[in-house]
Amino acid sequence: MSLRTYGVAALQSKLAVALLLGWATFAQAEPVEIVALGDSLTAGYGLPREDGFVPQMQAWLRARGHDVTVVNAGVSGDTTAGGLSRVDWSLADSTDGMIVTLGGNDLLRGIDPTNSRANLEGILKVAAARNLPVLLVGLRAPENYGPQFKTSFDAIYPELANQYGTLYFPEFFQGLTEGDRRPEDVRAYMQADGIHPNAEGVMRIVAAMGPSVEALIEQVQD
């Protein structure tokens, strides 16, 4: 090999290494994309856009060093049936994981928990077919629906999470109810309708749920 040929080969080799390193850097720079499939609690009903659940969760995660985009796929008034009907087109090729927060409107309408379970299971089947990690966020039925309804509804989320191997966060409002807070303390974090959290309430919800979303990001990156 002549000196000139060796020099060209060395240059080509260095160029190939530089391209590979550049591609690796580009690949590492790709943000994680999480779709939050839900209802008005996810959509940010009654709040300025930046105070809603999705923008606050994204800001919380980014403040902790996660290169993540959280996509707002919340539709006010949506039931689990509505979520199932649109889950396919809510997910893109770029979607890396999904947060599922549905069931509140099923409760408000007194929908049979058997139907709610079937719809949520359908959503998890779509995620499984796409090999998408999921964080399933639960809700608890109030006592006034009766013990049988409450037992059936409350069991949906942990049982499905176990069946489909998803991550599980027991209660969307956990950040408002944990500790020894009295009912009047919780009301301070709610909007006037008593159903949707205000901006400070969302902040507390995000702080409680955030570590579970970090666990979802870890699953995506594994």
Side-chain angles (χ1 to χ4, degrees), residues 4-210:
R4 181 179 178 183
T5 303
Y6 175 81
V8 171
L11 181 61
Q12 289 175 336
S13 177
K14 289 179 180 178
L15 181 59
V17 170
L19 287 172
L20 286 172
L21 289 174
W23 172 252
T25 301
F26 173 77
Q28 290 171 358
E30 284 291 294
V32 172
E33 182 177 287
I34 303 295
V35 169
L37 184 74
D39 49 32
S40 56
L41 296 175
T42 300
Y45 175 87
L47 296 171
R49 192 201 66 80
E50 65 274 12
D51 290 335
F53 171 77
V54 168
Q56 286 209 48
M57 179 61 78
Q58 179 173 281
W60 190 95
L61 293 166
R62 289 183 176 180
R64 282 151 184 78
H66 300 286
D67 188 9
V68 60
T69 297
V70 185
V71 178
N72 193 338
V75 174
S76 293
D78 223 358
T79 61
T80 55
L84 176 58
S85 71
R86 63 187 175 84
V87 60
D88 268 315
W89 56 260
S90 295
L91 302 173
D93 291 341
S94 56
T95 302
D96 297 305
M98 182 165 57
I99 303 169
V100 178
T101 307
L102 285 162
N105 289 305
D106 294 51
L107 281 176
L108 289 174
R109 301 181 189 186
I111 293 173
D112 186 339
T114 303
N115 294 336
S116 301
R117 178 188 287 268
N119 294 328
L120 286 168
E121 183 170 11
I123 291 169
L124 296 183
K125 285 180 177 179
V126 170
R130 291 172 174 255
N131 200 29
L132 288 178
V134 173
L135 170 61
L136 182 61
V137 179
L139 289 167
R140 295 193 180 101
E143 301 287 348
N144 61 299
Y145 282 97
Q148 184 175 348
F149 185 103
K150 179 172 175 56
T151 298
S152 297
F153 186 90
D154 291 358
I156 292 172
Y157 300 92
E159 290 178 0
L160 286 180
N162 182 64
Q163 180 180 347
Y164 285 88
T166 75
L167 293 167
Y168 170 57
F169 189 75
E171 165 61 58
F172 182 88
F173 292 104
Q174 182 172 306
L176 305 185
T177 58
E178 58 192 4
D180 297 324
R181 290 198 180 101
R182 300 166 298 173
E184 54 267 33
D185 296 330
V186 174
R187 284 198 291 270
Y189 303 121
M190 303 297 288
Q191 296 181 43
D193 61 10
I195 297 173
H196 300 93
N198 58 28
E200 187 175 355
V202 173
M203 180 182 69
R204 292 174 179 271
I205 289 166
V206 165
M209 193 188 304

Side-chain angles (χ1 to χ4, degrees), residues 32-34 96-98 133 215-222:
V32 172
E33 182 177 287
I34 303 295
D96 297 305
M98 182 165 57
L216 178 64
I217 293 171
E218 288 177 9
Q219 281 197 358
V220 166
Q221 295 175 330
D222 282 347

